[in-house]
Amino acid sequence: MTAGEERQVERLRPTPMLVTAVAVLAVSVGLFAVNYTVQHSLVVWGWMPAMIGTATAGWACWRTAFTPGLDKVTRRMWRSLAVVCVLIVLGVAGDARFTVLNPLRLDQQHDLPTSICYALAIVALLWALLRLPMARREGRERVMARFVMDAATVTITVGIFSWYLIAKVAGAWAADRPAAVPMIMLMALGLIGSLAFVKVALSGFGGVDRIALRLLAAAAAVGAVGGGLFPLFVKLHPGLSGSQMFVPATLIFVAFAADRQRRAAGVPQPERRDRSFSVVPYLAVAATDGLLLVVSADAGGAVLIVAPAAVLLTALVAVRQINALRENGRLLGRVDANLVELNGFQRRLTHRASHDDLTDLANRVLFEQRTREALAEAGDGGTLSLALIDLDDFKAINDRLGHAVGDALLVVVAQRLREAVREDDVVARLGGDEFGLLLRGVRMHEATEVLDRIAESLTRPVRALGYDLLVKASIGLAEVWPEASPQELLRRADLAMYAAKERGKGRHAVYDARLEQDQAADAQLGAELRQALDNGDFTLVYQPIVALPDGEWTSLETLVRWKHAERGFIGPDVFIPIAERTGLIVPLGDWILRTALRQAAEWQEVFGSAAPAEIGVNVSARQLREPGFAADVRAALADSGFDPEKLVVEVTETAVFDGGVALETLHNLVTLGVKVALDDFGTGHSSLGLLRTCPADTLKVDKSFVDGIGGRSEEAVIATAMIQITNGLHLQAIAEGVETAEQAETLYRLGYRFAQGYHFSRPLSPDQVTQHLAAARPLPV
């Protein structure tokens, strides 16, 4: 059964219990009919169906008490009903014994032990019902007071009618007054039992099925009225009793009630409206008024005039009171409707306060609350995993396609996250494109399987407002440990998530202690990086790009160096990734660009045509995603006076592979006249499709393909293929990392006309570049 489906009560089917109850009733009716005029069977056989039917109903009640899905209070009530059935069995057995020992016994005559059993059964029944929590909207004391008053009304009414019928109709009061008293008491108690069932059914107690309660009320009424009034109207010979037929008729209702409760176990009860008034007092008054009219007709005279007037007056008062109560009920109904609407509004407010408006997932507040609760439940030895999910390049989707598309994408991603986890796991949107998962009772290897399912679900294109989008996510996972706090668990998952981002898009990482060490080192170096940038501790060097085969300089690539006061020279492979993670790559890159352009402009001014034809500057993916980066480049070019067509922006394949804002920025730079070179080509997300979408002028073949270029190596095959591609696409190819003359000769033979590496020159300081240019400048004639 999926979430949101409501379980329905099973259909009524013939069960052994029900078939037995129906068969017992049929047998009892048959025996009663056979023995109605003359006792043909043994007297004891007439009582056997009543005992078997009661035992069957008792066993049905006992089985129902152990049905899965019932609450503790409901189980207790059905066990009590089983005890009531046992007491009735004892009472029926006492009747059978009394009839056998007293052949002249009249119907409804009981000895003292039998009467005690029946009375105890009714008292036990009332006790079981009154222990139920009947009041949900009003105080229990008020419900109890109303019930006692209604019970007293029923008792008085039954007593009056029974006395009159016995005295006037049957003459039993004068013939055997002591025998009539127990009959009146038992009938009154039976009707009170029926009233109690009705009260509980109307009270709306959630655990006990209302239809089952109505069946039990019908059982009590059948037993009380049938067993009490039947002998007054039907004269039976000694040995035959109406109880032989009415006890099975009563207990068949009990059997059907027990079956109904079993079928309705665990099914929510529908909300029931309260009645504005109880009909019991009015029915009692109406019945008594009718009896009064009958008695006044017999009395005649003044009584015949006064009695009808009193009845009419009583009827008018009752009608007026009923109308007033109904009006009050309508007013209360409107008040209840307003209260329901207010409660619904409060529930909606509460839901909105704890859930995300867009995706309807739990928000950060509720996620942290659920995390605290899960940690408390897990204790020191429990299992719990927390994952943080961040969508890669979501900002690019928002910037390029608009926030409406981004929102539609988030809704679909939220739905896929729900589908990938269990129902009792918690999925939350923590803000922006960040989601959280709380996986209860899941160990690390199981949690990673969940993350694999999530990654697989996100590989399917997402349809968002007409766009088919590919989504990747970086996921960090942390497992609970003794004395874990929600904040620390979230922090560890966050740390793992950023570690996953550093390893590439669409990956997940698991927290371990090494991440803490790396973070501490990164934080320390990041702080020193910021200080070095402020203090001007960075310097630029320039590595020449030469023409093959003569090695003449054609352009320069700008490289940054950091000489730390204590650690000495720190390589770019160490501090550039930290600068990208901390965002310092943006101000650092701006300083590199402006410094390189000023230096290149100075060389152009001094050496003219002998100066390098182009200057290359490396730009990171983070810089390309910065809003207004193209405008910053335009400003730097304007400030330096450098020709835009001589500036080459070097980017990696990975930086522009997914398109988006980075690729759009490159197109804006090309519009300025700036050239684009794909650096380290072949080592990232290499794709021939990228060469169609990226506005590149130059491919710089990575050093790893140059190192093994001699002979029939795979590197030589790849290098050959690359030069053929660049020639076919009219792109310039530059081989990086050339360290030997043999490599230079092979590259030239393969078709490469430009190269870069230590074989030609190491990176040079600005002064060394100036000296080289001055030495190479032609002497004036």
Side-chain angles (χ1 to χ4, degrees):
M1 185 170 61
T2 60
E5 292 181 351
E6 292 188 0
R7 182 184 168 190
Q8 302 294 325
V9 179
E10 297 178 6
R11 296 180 60 185
L12 176 65
R13 301 178 186 277
T15 64
M17 289 288 181
L18 298 180
V19 172
T20 301
V22 172
V24 166
L25 177 60
V27 171
S28 68
V29 173
L31 285 173
F32 189 88
V34 168
N35 297 317
Y36 181 69
T37 55
V38 179
Q39 189 71 33
H40 292 284
S41 66
L42 294 176
V43 173
V44 71
W45 284 108
W47 293 99
M48 290 302 296
M51 287 188 282
I52 295 174
T54 308
T56 300
W59 177 241
C61 294
W62 186 259
R63 285 187 56 198
T64 300
F66 296 94
T67 302
L70 296 182
D71 57 77
K72 181 180 178 181
V73 177
T74 305
R75 293 175 186 273
R76 184 180 64 198
M77 190 203 78
W78 286 101
R79 286 197 300 267
S80 300
L81 291 180
V83 173
V84 171
C85 289
V86 171
L87 291 172
I88 294 176
V89 169
L90 295 176
V92 173
D95 277 336
R97 172 184 170 277
F98 186 70
T99 304
V100 172
L101 295 178
N102 299 275
L104 299 179
R105 175 232 188 216
L106 295 175
D107 191 16
Q108 296 302 327
Q109 286 183 318
H110 310 289
D111 59 7
L112 183 60
T114 302
S115 298
I116 291 174
C117 287
Y118 284 135
L120 287 177
I122 296 177
V123 171
L125 173 64
L126 293 175
W127 177 249
L129 292 177
L130 295 179
R131 293 181 69 190
L132 292 176
M134 292 186 295
R136 292 186 303 170
R137 295 185 178 89
E138 50 188 333
R140 182 180 178 86
E141 294 78 8
R142 293 180 58 190
V143 173
M144 286 297 298
R146 289 170 57 183
F147 174 75
V148 170
M149 294 177 65
D150 287 347
T153 303
V154 170
T155 302
I156 295 172
T157 306
V158 170
I160 293 173
F161 269 82
S162 299
W163 172 83
Y164 181 79
L165 291 172
I166 292 171
K168 299 297 182 180
V169 179
W173 184 266
D176 191 0
R177 184 177 302 177
V181 172
M183 181 171 61
I184 296 174
M185 292 179 59
L186 291 177
M187 186 168 63
L189 287 174
L191 290 175
I192 292 172
S194 177
L195 173 65
F197 277 118
V198 173
K199 283 290 183 183
V200 174
L202 295 178
S203 69
F205 173 64
V208 184
D209 181 71
R210 292 198 186 100
I211 295 180
L213 284 170
R214 294 191 184 105
L215 290 171
L216 292 173
V222 169
V225 177
L229 295 182
F230 186 77
L232 300 179
F233 295 97
V234 181
K235 295 300 181 181
L236 303 175
H237 61 76
L240 191 64
S241 172
S243 297
Q244 295 171 348
M245 182 173 54
F246 278 100
V247 169
T250 298
L251 274 302
I252 195 173
F253 283 98
V254 176
F256 273 90
D259 179 78
R260 167 69 188 192
Q261 182 66 80
R262 283 196 302 273
R263 290 184 287 112
V267 178
Q269 293 291 316
E271 192 70 22
R272 184 177 181 86
R273 293 178 56 189
D274 289 339
R275 294 177 179 266
S276 57
F277 61 91
S278 173
V279 298
V280 172
Y282 299 98
L283 291 177
V285 170
T288 305
D289 284 348
L291 182 60
L292 180 59
L293 292 175
V294 173
V295 172
S296 65
D298 292 339
V303 176
L304 186 58
I305 297 175
V306 174
V311 170
L312 179 59
L313 181 61
T314 304
L316 292 174
V317 172
V319 170
R320 184 180 185 279
Q321 189 176 22
I322 289 174
N323 288 333
L325 290 173
R326 283 180 174 173
E327 182 61 28
N328 291 339
R330 283 193 293 269
L331 292 175
L332 289 174
R334 287 196 289 268
V335 172
D336 287 343
N338 292 334
L339 288 175
V340 168
E341 184 177 356
L342 179 59
N343 290 336
F345 180 69
Q346 289 176 337
R347 285 193 297 270
R348 290 192 296 272
L349 283 180
T350 302
H351 184 82
R352 290 188 62 181
S354 59
H355 288 74
D356 175 58
D357 289 339
L358 177 64
T359 62
D360 202 39
L361 297 178
N363 60 15
R364 180 178 289 274
V365 174
L366 183 59
F367 186 72
E368 292 178 352
Q369 177 184 334
R370 292 288 183 265
T371 303
R372 284 193 296 271
E373 294 170 355
L375 287 174
E377 293 174 3
D380 292 338
T383 55
L384 180 70
S385 296
L386 188 149
L388 290 184
I389 304 171
D390 188 81
L391 302 185
D392 297 322
D393 298 328
F394 177 75
K395 184 177 182 299
I397 294 175
N398 263 348
D399 293 343
R400 184 177 56 173
L401 303 178
H403 290 280
V405 176
D407 289 347
L409 171 65
L410 291 175
V411 171
V412 177
V413 170
Q415 181 61 35
R416 292 188 183 180
L417 292 179
R418 286 194 194 98
E419 295 170 353
V421 300
R422 302 167 304 177
E423 187 175 348
D424 58 343
D425 293 328
V426 180
V427 184
R429 183 187 176 204
L430 305 182
D433 60 340
E434 189 176 35
F435 296 86
L437 294 181
L438 193 61
L439 308 175
R440 302 172 186 265
V442 173
R443 298 191 180 278
M444 188 60 68
H445 70 281
E446 297 170 322
T448 54
E449 292 176 0
V450 175
L451 301 189
D452 289 337
R453 288 203 304 270
I454 291 173
E456 190 277 332
S457 69
L458 294 179
T459 58
R460 304 192 306 270
V462 174
R463 186 72 175 174
L465 297 184
Y467 294 93
D468 288 322
L469 304 175
L470 294 177
V471 183
K472 292 183 180 180
S474 299
I475 308 175
L477 182 65
E479 189 176 27
V480 71
W481 69 97
E483 300 180 357
S485 66
Q487 294 77 15
E488 180 61 18
L489 189 61
L490 280 166
R491 189 193 68 83
R492 291 188 175 189
D494 189 64
L495 189 62
M497 182 188 71
Y498 278 103
K501 280 189 175 295
E502 293 172 13
R503 298 171 188 174
K505 299 175 182 178
R507 300 173 182 266
H508 65 260
V510 178
Y511 172 87
D512 60 37
R514 288 176 299 178
L515 294 180
E516 296 283 5
Q517 299 171 0
D518 294 342
Q519 185 195 39
D522 286 358
Q524 177 64 29
L525 196 59
E528 295 174 355
L529 191 66
R530 174 78 261 182
Q531 186 177 6
L533 188 59
D534 294 338
N535 296 338
D537 293 339
F538 292 99
T539 58
L540 297 183
V541 293
Y542 304 88
Q543 187 171 31
I545 297 172
V546 303
L548 295 178
D550 56 12
E552 182 181 352
W553 287 16
T554 60
S555 59
L556 297 174
E557 178 184 0
T558 306
L559 305 172
V560 64
R561 296 290 184 264
W562 179 17
K563 185 177 182 181
H564 194 278
E566 298 177 357
R567 307 184 191 185
F569 280 102
I570 299 177
D573 58 326
V574 175
F575 69 83
I576 291 296
I578 295 175
E580 290 180 344
R581 287 195 295 271
T582 59
L584 289 174
I585 192 66
V586 175
L588 178 60
D590 185 69
W591 176 83
I592 293 172
L593 175 66
R594 289 180 174 275
T595 304
L597 290 178
R598 284 196 301 269
Q599 182 64 72
E602 182 180 329
W603 285 327
Q604 287 284 343
E605 183 179 353
V606 173
F607 297 105
S609 60
E614 296 174 342
I615 188 78
V617 177
N618 291 282
V619 174
S620 71
R622 176 70 179 269
Q623 290 175 272
L624 291 176
R625 291 195 298 268
E626 281 293 307
F629 177 73
D632 293 339
V633 173
R634 182 192 299 111
L637 289 167
D639 292 343
S640 64
F642 192 71
D643 184 358
E645 295 184 354
K646 295 184 178 181
L647 171 62
V648 179
V649 170
E650 299 190 12
V651 297
T652 62
E653 303 162 272
T654 305
V656 294
F657 180 77
D658 292 326
V661 175
L663 192 59
E664 184 178 339
T665 300
L666 287 184
H667 282 286
N668 292 337
L669 292 175
V670 171
T671 302
L672 298 177
V674 176
K675 297 179 180 178
V676 176
L678 285 178
D679 199 10
D680 302 328
F681 190 78
T683 60
H685 297 290
S686 297
S687 169
L688 295 180
L690 182 64
L691 298 179
R692 291 189 300 105
T693 58
C694 181
D697 303 284
T698 303
L699 295 187
K700 301 187 74 173
V701 180
D702 188 71
K703 180 179 183 298
S704 60
F705 300 109
V706 175
D707 289 340
I709 202 171
R712 297 181 177 271
S713 64
E714 295 178 354
E715 287 81 359
V717 175
I718 295 174
T720 302
M722 286 185 180
I723 194 63
Q724 292 174 347
I725 291 172
T726 55
N727 288 339
L729 296 176
H730 306 289
L731 300 176
Q732 186 183 75
I734 300 175
E736 294 184 299
V738 180
E739 297 183 349
T740 65
E742 180 183 2
Q743 291 174 342
E745 292 174 2
T746 302
L747 289 167
Y748 181 73
R749 189 169 59 253
L750 292 175
Y752 285 86
R753 294 298 177 261
F754 300 94
Q756 176 182 1
Y758 282 6
H759 171 64
F760 305 107
S761 174
R762 290 179 173 273
L764 304 174
S765 67
D767 291 340
Q768 291 173 319
V769 172
T770 300
Q771 293 174 6
H772 175 86
L773 294 176
R777 182 168 51 181
L779 295 175
V781 179

